[in-house]
């Protein structure tokens, strides 16, 4: 890289002066018209273009998502592209409320071939383009302005003539001054006006003027200024649909598309997950779900976004990044301890509020709305904290750990994570939990039986009588207290000299219904002042509490 890049590169100078721009104060209140160009622009950007089987699978998925306009092919480019259009029409694969679109260059022979591919279609959009920017006029075509206009006029005239040969099809025309974003505004306006002179659109039969950011050359606000200026100055505005086709060369295609809508655009062309030439087209999944999170119906639906990801990955042969907005495998997942704690508290507050409104720290969309589960919202590694560990064990096992127990378990998990340097799964956390609180395998203190209903009473005291297995040997123990737990603690102290002061006790059901289990949590302090925790799980809540006492005794 150059230390002085100004010797090689020049900043883009916006050709639009718009001191009274309106778009920054506008609000997005409804979704645009969407066009998926995955099967054309996205397909031609693949090292291995899709065959007919993959294109058809992708097409069916686009219908399921809710697209009403789909650019399906560049039929004059190859026999495969031509045949795919024919397969859709002859196989009656185009629903009555869906319009297929095809692309053509401004050449009379290619336009004729394009219309031939659409014979028998109920409705179709034919999209013609030619590059208009000074760089392309000078370097690519060696043409002056008037020659570029003649090229466009020749093409759109041929389109009109071909359409008149096929009156049974409801035709929509689209024109793109390709490289619009770095074309002189007055020239982009002039060439589009000449196109409108040929097509003579009306409010009842509008045409589409597509204004692409073919290569991003400036910040999104500059593109929005260009769109607003064009919308203000184009004639027959009520007979024109303004469409945009942003690419992502600067990584700002989503922002450019949204700001273009604020500036007056009504339609967006792009690809699912941003596939397309070079850095790709604007990402329609991100755009649609951005609308959704603002309470606006996007008119595209992703109730099972993971299925969409799998289909796109299969058909394109390209992975969707795990950090991709909304759809990535890790975007609903928090590893950081502070994030996990905030999310855990957010879910608790959401359940308590119970008003249906989604207000969740770090999660702009409810994962359940797009077919994701809550199990993966929080995952644990060495960066995680007590909230994350507690969330995982609650989601996996239904255990709602008291705060101090969360701290104790988190410390144990952290030690394990630091040693492994890997993600800690729910199974690993459960294993650590069982080992830490003596829920499995032979233990120092194990309950065999105890008497509860037929206990003796003297005043306000209660007598615990039980049999336990201590280090493999059965032992009878007896203790007196003012309740079941205190009498069991007293029995352990009398028989084994254990000193445990009960600080906190909590319990809850693990399941609903007749097969429910109970879990009991015990926090104690020994004679050295150290915190001791015990956990017991049983079908009977009283038995669970005794097991929690013995669990604490094992940790003393």
């Amino acid at each position: 890289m150059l230390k002085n890049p100004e010797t090689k590169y020049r900043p883009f100078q916006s050709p639009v002066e718009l001191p009274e721009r309106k778009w920054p104060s506008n609000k997005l209140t409804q979704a645009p018209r969407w066009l998926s160009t995955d099967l054309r622009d996205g397909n031609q950007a693949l090292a291995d273009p899709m065959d007919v089987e993959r294109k058809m699978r992708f097409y069916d998925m686009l219908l399921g998502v809710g697209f009403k306009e789909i650019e399906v092919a560049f039929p004059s480019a190859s026999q495969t592209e031509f045949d795919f259009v024919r397969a859709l029409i002859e196989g009656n694969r185009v629903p009555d409320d869906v319009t297929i679109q095809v692309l053509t260059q401004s050449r009379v022979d290619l336009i004729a071939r394009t219309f031939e591919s659409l014979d028998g279609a109920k409705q179709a959009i034919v999209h013609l383009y030619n590059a208009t920017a000074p760089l392309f006029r000078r370097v690519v075509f060696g043409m002056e302005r008037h020659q570029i206009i003649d090229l466009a006029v020749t093409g759109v005239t041929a389109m009109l003539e071909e359409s008149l040969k096929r009156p049974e099809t409801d035709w929509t025309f689209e024109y793109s001054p390709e490289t619009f974003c770095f074309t002189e505004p007055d020239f982009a306006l002039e060439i589009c006006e000449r196109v409108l002179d040929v097509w003579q659109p009306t409010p009842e039969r509008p045409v589409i003027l597509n204004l692409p950011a073919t290569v991003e050359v400036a910040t999104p606000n500059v593109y929005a200024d260009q769109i607003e200026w064009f919308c203000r100055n184009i004639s027959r505005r009520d007979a024109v649909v303004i469409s945009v086709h942003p690419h992502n060369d600067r990584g700002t295609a989503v922002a450019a598309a949204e700001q273009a809508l604020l500036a007056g655009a009504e339609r967006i062309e792009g690809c699912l997950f941003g596939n397309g030439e070079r850095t790709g087209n604007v990402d329609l999944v991100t755009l649609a779900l951005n609308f959704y999170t603002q309470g606006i119906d996007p008119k595209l639906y992703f109730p099972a976004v993971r299925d969409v990801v799998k289909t796109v990955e299969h058909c394109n042969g390209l992975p969707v990044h795990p950090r991709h907005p909304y759809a990535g495998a890790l975007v609903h997942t928090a590893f950081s301890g502070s994030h996990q704690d905030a999310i855990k508290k957010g879910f608790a507050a959401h359940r308590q509020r119970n008003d249906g409104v989604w207000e969740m720290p770090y999660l702009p969309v409810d994962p359940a709305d797009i077919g994701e589960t809550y199990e993966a919202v929080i995952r644990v590694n060495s960066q995680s904290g007590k909230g994350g560990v507690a969330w995982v064990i609650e989601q996996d096992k239904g255990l709602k750990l008291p705060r101090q127990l969360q701290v104790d378990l988190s410390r144990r998990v952290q030690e394990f994570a630091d040693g492994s340097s890997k993600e800690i799964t729910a199974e690993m956390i459960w294993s650590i939990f069982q080992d830490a609180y003596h829920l499995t395998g032979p233990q120092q203190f194990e309950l065999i039986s105890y008497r509860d209903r037929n206990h003796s009473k003297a005043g306000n005291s209660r007598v615990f009588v039980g049999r336990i297995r201590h280090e493999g040997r059965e032992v009878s123990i007896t203790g007196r207290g003012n309740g079941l737990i205190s009498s069991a603690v007293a029995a352990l102290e009398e028989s084994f000299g254990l000193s445990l002061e009960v600080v906190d006790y909590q319990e809850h059901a693990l399941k609903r219904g007749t097969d429910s289990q109970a879990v009991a949590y015990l926090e104690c302090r020994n004679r050295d002042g150290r915190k001791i925790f015990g956990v017991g799980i049983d079908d009977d809540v009283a038995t669970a509490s005794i097991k929690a006492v013995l669990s604490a005794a094992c940790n003393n």
Side-chain angles (χ1 to χ4, degrees), residues 8-9 27 31 48 55-56 130 149 155 210 217 248 257 266 326 354 393 396 408 426 434 468 476 489 538:
K8 186 174 183 178
Y9 299 98
K27 299 286 190 294
D48 298 310
K55 282 193 77 167
M56 197 65 77
N130 64 301
I149 290 175
N210 186 55
V217 294
N248 199 40
E266 301 142 290
Y326 301 110
N354 196 31
I393 204 164
D396 187 49
D408 187 69
Q434 288 180 302
I468 65 170
S476 296
V489 169
D538 197 84

Side-chain angles (χ1 to χ4, degrees), residues 160-171:
L160 182 59
E161 292 172 350
E162 290 291 340
S163 71
L164 294 175
K165 299 175 184 176
R166 301 168 175 83
E168 72 281 1
T169 299
D170 183 7
W171 297 104

